[in-house]
Amino acid sequence: MKKSFVIIFLLLTFSVYSRDITVTVKDVDLDLPLEGAVIRMEGNEYICDINGKAVIKAPDGRQVLIQAAYPGYETGRIVIPVTGDEFFIGLNLSGVLQGRELVIETSKPGSSETRTGRSIAVSAKDIAQTAEIGIVEDVMSTIKLLPGVSYTGVFGAQPSIRGGHPGDMSASLDGYYINNPYHWGGGFSIFDPRMVQSAQLSHGVFSTRYGHTISGLLEITSKKPSPTETQFELGMNTSAANINLSIPLFGKGGVLLMGRITYYDPVIWTAKQLAKAFPSLDSVNYIRQAPYIRAGIVNGNYRFTDKLELTATGFWGMDGTGVSYLNSNRTDALNTDTALDFDYTNYQGFLTSSLAWNPRADMLLKFTAGTGYEDAIINGKMTYNIHNKKFSKEFMDKYPFSRVSDSYQYNIENTVHQSDFIFNVQGRIDYDWEITQNLLISTGLQEMFNEYRSSGDSQISNDNIRFAYLGNKEQSALKSFFPLIPAVVWDDIRIASNIPYSPDLQNSIFTSSGYVLTEFNTFDNRLNTELGLRIDHFILQGKGFTAYSSLALNPRLNLDYNIFKNHDLIKSFDISAGTGLFSSINDAVFSAEEKYNIDYIKPNRSWTSIIGVRLEFPESLSLNIEGYYKYVFDRMYIPVGFGLEEMEVKPNFDGVGRIFGVDIMLQKIQSRFWDGWLAYSWNWTKYRDPQGQSGSMGMSGGNNGNDWYFPSFHRYHYLNLVMNIKPVQKINIYVRLGIASGILLSRRIGDGPESYPVLIYNKDNPAESYFIEKYRWPSVVDQTNRTTPSLPMDIKFSIFGGNKNGKTRYEIYIAVENVLSLIYTPQRNTSFNQYTGQIDTGSNTARYDIPIPIPSFGFKYSY
């Protein structure tokens, strides 16, 4: 009797302290209601009607988790807040969950999310609209539209992130850190948008769980298989075909096979026809083997129990190209023969797996391990022969010592035969313990091992060696061979020599990392804090040497505070602040040799501080403003000097940098008729290399002297307007308009190129050395002189369709990139022939932009 009374009392209490809410479940892409979808809450089930709606009873005074499930779709989970009567869950086959007007509690570690001052996340829907476009569909096309990401042009997947060097950004796929996530040497990334569920760019003060970057971390999550349905997707576009096949495993997991293969031969043929009308595209005629990409991913997961799940991801890909070029040029000014033969092939693959275990409801233990490799093979030869080139009268009058006749012959030969192989093993353990509803403690360890092998036999012909940069012994030898040359004239002379480069490297880098952090939030969720410490340590081992780094201590602190909610037109007003240290190893360390006398190494370091404001308005409109300052120190840079017989490489670890800027993003999501974002960034970045040499070559800097300088990739402003216009449910018009200020440009002095002598040095018989005439346009580094702004504009028209139950879907799109190029292209300095001084007509288009519109099309069918 007492038991029955308690049950009746609880039921009456539930009915008194509960409210009716309406939940609508729809297909996000097609905006179709999912009739029959099941909503579960605390053991109760509700079935959606023909409009995808269900009325459920939610408890008053506390949040509650609900789930939505539909065959063939990923299960959606949202937290119902203590206020509000109508909510929406959007599902799609790729497993993306999107909720409106929801309060999300602590996210699952490693999940994609947008957090002010830390990261920006984009869903599969955003990626599909902005990245499935162009001659190569690439997730980086989406990432480059986000605030804080600099403009790089169409062919460039390595942008600067908030002033950092492009090589500072690291990337991971399903938790696996990838050494080189690029095809074609950085032209495009390996991340096919049809294989990706979500992407998150962390470029603020992000969690101590993650490291290996001082600039930004791009985390890619691949699509997951359906545990209950066999699914199939076929896609074709301008240059590639894609196929995805998902196979369920007894309702507890599944296997998803995804592949991409390019077919660029017709594209190259079309480009060659266009080159007849657009001479600036003439270089396409050199291509012998059309560029290609072959890639595939296998993704699987299996849930043994509610507390134990295994996931695995495997990737394999290759890319390459081949070029053959023969040309003979016969004019009154110059007679030349040119031959080029170049082949490039790059293989890469990796396998990673993780095991997640919940020993208790408030604990998560995750084991992750992976291994991978990369093998890049380059073979090339270029010869350039000049026949009977006559000296100009001005040159003969100014440098009478330089000639024995009135003409000269000059033969250049560059060769490269090199193989670079990288083997990687990595593993980590992560432990999360939710001590109370408001307190989470996490800790973890990670070990990474990279072995780098490089071998080959190459020759570099360098005709820009400065006399002042030679050693005393080499300077004295040259003066003795040419005693008639006045000392002051040696500053005008450049020296040409064939420099051999035959690497035989086998280096290993051991990276050990550990972290601990705590997350705390108040009961009303108005204040959230995260305090953590990450420690990194590096060991470099090579033939005959070992170098250690000191411990890199990276404490980080983040604070988030909600000032108010639901006040007039503002739904939420939040401020965030964070500060922390970061460390990463420069990839150039892989090329270290014993002769460079490296007895220690330092990771690149940065101290980043950020403050942000986020305003949320009705109709899913939000405004995010972030200001940041970064101080970079211990940055590695390598001045490369050329002697008469060998290169001189000088690694340094004392580079510094100062970076500050503002990022603004106005975003509207999940609208019936339009959505998108407006992103603006302003950035000021300067570096300094205390041991740098002006006018030399360098890696990661080192060639700009020892004063502060703007790096070559720096731009002050970049703005992107991204719009999806939906006049009807089955049509989407995507428009992207960008404005990017120019990059640094040397300021030329005088009216045109001037001739100067180049000594062709014969190291086997110095007495047979001789002079030729070349041209240069005197210039100075002007921190205020830049290329003109870039104005990229892309348009994409998509048609969607499918059957009533949403199991069959299709999309057809046509698009044009770089629409405005017919009327405007960014301008740079004109080019000129370095052997005649003749200025090339129409050569002032900036090289990072393609001077014609680029059409593309695509088709996607899924079942």
Side-chain angles (χ1 to χ4, degrees):
M1 182 65 181
K2 184 180 294 187
K3 183 176 180 181
S4 300
F5 176 79
V6 172
I7 294 176
I8 294 173
F9 176 79
L10 292 175
L11 289 174
L12 289 174
T13 303
F14 181 81
S15 63
V16 172
Y17 296 100
S18 65
R19 71 187 195 278
D20 290 339
I21 63 172
T22 301
V23 179
T24 303
V25 182
K26 285 187 176 183
D27 180 297
V28 166
D29 293 326
L30 299 179
D31 197 31
L32 295 175
L34 297 179
E35 179 185 2
V38 178
I39 298 176
R40 298 182 177 90
M41 182 194 70
E42 295 184 340
N44 299 303
E45 291 189 355
Y46 305 86
I47 307 299
C48 294
D49 60 19
I50 191 172
N51 296 313
K53 297 180 181 292
V55 178
I56 67 176
K57 289 187 177 295
D60 274 337
R62 65 182 178 91
Q63 298 177 348
V64 63
L65 176 70
I66 67 172
Q67 300 181 4
Y70 190 79
Y73 288 75
E74 191 77 13
T75 299
R77 299 175 178 85
I78 64 174
V79 175
I80 302 298
V82 295
T83 60
D85 299 322
E86 294 189 5
F87 301 93
F88 167 78
I89 300 178
L91 305 178
N92 61 25
L93 290 177
S94 63
V96 177
L97 165 65
Q98 300 185 11
R100 296 177 64 180
E101 302 181 337
L102 304 175
V103 178
I104 306 299
E105 292 184 318
T106 302
S107 62
K108 177 182 177 182
S111 62
S112 295
E113 58 178 340
T114 297
R115 300 189 68 181
T116 301
R118 297 172 177 81
S119 59
I120 301 177
V122 286
S123 67
K125 179 183 177 183
D126 294 325
I127 292 171
Q129 291 301 331
T130 56
E132 292 180 11
I133 184 175
I135 55 176
V136 173
E137 296 183 350
D138 184 4
V139 168
M140 286 305 299
S141 298
T142 302
I143 301 303
K144 290 189 290 184
L145 301 179
L146 300 177
V149 183
S150 70
Y151 176 74
T152 62
V154 175
F155 189 84
Q158 294 179 285
S160 167
I161 308 296
R162 286 185 168 172
H165 189 279
D168 288 340
M169 187 188 80
S170 63
S172 68
L173 177 63
D174 292 341
Y176 179 87
Y177 286 88
I178 306 171
N179 286 312
N180 178 34
Y182 303 106
H183 290 306
W184 300 341
F188 299 94
S189 80
I190 66 173
F191 305 124
D192 180 359
R194 300 174 190 261
M195 301 178 181
V196 172
Q197 173 178 303
S198 63
Q200 176 177 295
L201 177 65
S202 299
H203 56 5
V205 182
F206 52 87
S207 171
T208 53
R209 288 187 177 94
Y210 310 107
H212 309 294
T213 179
I214 64 169
S215 175
L217 171 63
L218 178 61
E219 299 173 81
I220 301 294
T221 302
S222 64
K223 290 183 177 179
K224 298 299 184 288
S226 169
T228 57
E229 298 285 337
T230 299
Q231 299 173 352
F232 172 79
E233 180 177 288
L234 174 65
M236 299 186 68
N237 56 62
T238 308
S239 58
N242 302 71
I243 185 171
N244 293 2
L245 177 62
S246 176
I247 303 171
L249 295 176
F250 317 110
K252 294 187 176 183
V255 176
L256 179 58
L257 308 174
M258 299 172 282
R260 171 167 70 169
I261 183 171
T262 57
Y263 40 79
Y264 269 101
D265 297 275
V267 177
I268 296 301
W269 180 88
T270 302
K272 289 181 178 181
Q273 305 310 307
L274 289 173
K276 298 176 182 178
F278 298 93
S280 58
L281 296 177
D282 183 64
S283 58
V284 75
N285 292 305
Y286 309 162
I287 298 176
R288 168 173 45 81
Q289 165 66 59
Y292 61 88
I293 295 173
R294 316 279 188 264
I297 292 180
V298 178
N299 180 289
N301 68 296
Y302 190 83
R303 181 173 289 275
F304 298 97
T305 68
D306 292 339
K307 298 181 178 181
L308 186 64
E309 182 179 14
L310 176 69
T311 62
T313 300
F315 173 88
W316 184 86
M318 67 177 295
D319 59 276
T321 189
V323 176
S324 289
Y325 175 66
L326 293 172
N327 183 58
S328 294
N329 182 48
R330 299 290 184 265
T331 66
D332 294 337
L334 189 65
N335 297 317
T336 62
D337 292 315
T338 305
L340 173 66
D341 193 25
F342 178 82
D343 286 286
Y344 166 78
T345 306
N346 182 60
Y347 304 91
Q348 57 182 313
F350 59 84
L351 175 65
T352 182
S353 180
S354 66
L355 184 66
W357 177 42
N358 293 98
R360 292 186 349 197
D362 58 355
M363 292 183 180
L364 173 64
L365 185 61
K366 189 174 182 179
F367 304 89
T368 305
T371 183
Y373 81 102
E374 180 190 357
D375 190 9
I377 303 170
I378 304 174
N379 290 290
K381 181 178 181 180
M382 190 279 289
T383 59
Y384 185 71
N385 301 320
I386 300 175
H387 308 284
N388 300 318
K389 173 65 173 67
K390 292 185 178 297
F391 291 103
S392 66
K393 184 178 183 305
E394 294 80 7
F395 181 84
M396 291 189 292
D397 292 341
K398 187 175 182 180
Y399 305 105
F401 60 84
S402 63
R403 59 185 179 86
V404 294
S405 66
D406 63 351
S407 64
Y408 66 86
Q409 311 254 17
Y410 182 36
N411 302 318
I412 301 174
E413 181 175 308
N414 288 321
T415 60
V416 56
H417 303 285
Q418 188 166 328
S419 174
D420 296 325
F421 182 86
I422 298 177
F423 174 70
N424 173 280
V425 178
Q426 53 188 271
R428 64 182 295 163
I429 301 175
D430 298 274
Y431 173 71
D432 296 274
W433 181 19
E434 190 176 22
I435 298 177
T436 69
Q437 185 179 355
N438 310 95
L439 180 63
L440 174 73
I441 292 179
S442 299
T443 186
L445 298 172
Q446 182 181 37
E447 290 288 337
M448 296 182 64
F449 168 77
N450 285 280
E451 182 183 63
Y452 175 74
R453 299 197 298 267
S454 180
S455 61
D457 185 14
S458 303
Q459 176 180 279
I460 304 170
S461 180
N462 184 4
D463 60 5
N464 195 38
I465 302 173
R466 302 180 65 174
F467 180 80
Y469 288 168
L470 296 177
N472 292 332
K473 183 178 179 181
E474 291 178 322
Q475 289 184 1
S476 298
L478 287 177
K479 288 180 178 180
S480 65
F481 286 125
F482 302 96
L484 298 180
I485 299 179
V488 68
V489 176
W490 280 106
D491 291 337
D492 292 339
I493 296 174
R494 295 295 183 265
I495 305 162
S497 182
N498 294 326
I499 310 298
Y501 177 64
S502 301
D504 183 20
L505 307 177
Q506 187 169 346
N507 294 335
S508 300
I509 294 181
F510 299 85
T511 304
S512 301
S513 304
Y515 74 88
V516 61
L517 67 87
T518 177
E519 297 179 14
F520 173 78
N521 62 283
T522 57
F523 286 96
D524 56 4
N525 211 36
R526 293 189 64 183
L527 175 64
N528 292 273
T529 65
E530 179 181 320
L531 176 64
L533 173 66
R534 182 181 180 90
I535 302 176
D536 295 324
H537 183 254
F538 307 90
I539 302 175
L540 171 64
Q541 274 189 339
K543 293 182 177 180
F545 71 97
T546 299
Y548 298 85
S549 78
S550 301
L551 289 179
L553 303 180
N554 299 314
R556 299 172 200 170
L557 171 65
N558 279 289
L559 301 172
D560 303 295
Y561 183 71
N562 175 256
I563 297 178
F564 61 78
K565 291 183 179 180
N566 301 319
H567 182 73
D568 293 333
L569 294 179
I570 300 177
K571 295 184 60 179
S572 181
F573 181 19
D574 299 89
I575 60 172
S576 299
T579 187
L581 292 169
F582 298 83
S583 60
S584 69
I585 200 72
N586 193 311
D587 288 343
V589 169
F590 282 127
S591 301
E593 296 185 58
E594 184 180 11
K595 63 182 179 181
Y596 300 151
N597 297 318
I598 299 177
D599 53 4
Y600 70 94
I601 58 174
K602 287 185 177 181
N604 295 338
R605 302 293 305 278
S606 73
W607 171 44
T608 300
S609 297
I610 190 166
I611 186 168
V613 175
R614 181 177 177 84
L615 296 168
E616 294 185 3
F617 305 96
E619 302 298 327
S620 300
L621 188 66
S622 64
L623 174 64
N624 198 77
I625 303 174
E626 298 180 9
Y628 58 90
Y629 172 79
K630 292 200 292 187
Y631 176 68
V632 179
F633 59 100
D634 291 347
R635 185 178 61 85
M636 183 182 183
Y637 62 94
I638 307 176
V640 179
F642 283 87
L644 297 179
E645 298 188 12
E646 64 178 2
M647 290 188 298
E648 184 179 8
V649 179
K650 304 175 182 178
N652 293 277
F653 300 94
D654 58 355
V656 293
R658 295 171 182 163
I659 304 168
F660 55 90
V662 176
D663 292 335
I664 303 174
M665 187 174 188
L666 178 65
Q667 185 176 25
K668 182 177 177 63
I669 59 174
Q670 290 194 13
S671 170
R672 165 61 187 84
F673 292 102
W674 69 276
D675 57 52
W677 65 81
L678 177 66
Y680 168 74
S681 297
W682 178 84
N683 175 270
W684 188 95
T685 298
K686 275 195 171 183
Y687 289 129
R688 180 173 177 264
D689 307 327
Q691 310 301 320
Q693 295 182 351
S694 178
S696 67
M697 293 182 63
M699 292 185 289
S700 300
N703 58 339
N704 295 281
N706 61 2
D707 199 4
W708 290 94
Y709 64 91
F710 288 108
S712 60
F713 50 81
H714 174 256
R715 299 177 187 269
Y716 279 114
H717 311 274
Y718 26 100
L719 180 145
N720 283 295
L721 173 63
V722 177
M723 289 284 292
N724 290 297
I725 304 170
K726 311 166 189 177
V728 297
Q729 289 187 356
K730 295 186 177 182
I731 292 179
N732 188 91
I733 302 172
Y734 163 71
V735 179
R736 174 269 181 123
L737 175 63
I739 302 175
S741 60
I743 58 176
L744 203 64
L745 186 66
S746 61
R747 185 178 297 279
R748 288 176 170 173
I749 303 173
D751 298 328
E754 299 176 355
S755 63
Y756 67 98
V758 176
L759 173 63
I760 309 303
Y761 177 72
N762 187 328
K763 63 182 179 181
D764 297 324
N765 188 355
E768 295 185 0
S769 302
Y770 61 96
F771 285 91
I772 67 170
E773 178 186 13
K774 288 191 70 175
Y775 286 81
R776 63 187 170 210
W777 199 322
S779 61
V780 295
V781 176
D782 187 339
Q783 303 288 343
T784 64
N785 194 43
R786 292 177 177 257
T787 59
T788 59
S790 297
L791 298 175
M793 182 178 181
D794 308 328
I795 299 176
K796 175 182 174 183
F797 181 83
S798 303
I799 299 177
F800 301 91
N803 60 6
K804 292 184 178 180
N805 62 17
K807 287 190 174 182
T808 299
R809 300 185 301 170
Y810 67 84
E811 176 191 354
I812 302 172
Y813 79 80
I814 57 174
V816 180
E817 291 181 293
N818 212 20
V819 174
L820 298 179
S821 61
L822 290 176
I823 59 175
Y824 174 82
T825 55
Q827 304 295 291
R828 62 175 175 89
N829 290 332
T830 56
S831 62
F832 59 91
N833 189 297
Q834 57 184 329
Y835 296 102
T836 66
Q838 182 178 359
I839 297 175
D840 299 328
T841 304
S843 62
N844 56 347
T845 298
R847 295 178 180 176
Y848 47 78
D849 276 343
I850 298 177
I852 63 171
I854 306 171
S856 60
F857 65 89
F859 170 80
K860 181 165 58 177
Y861 172 85
S862 61
Y863 175 79

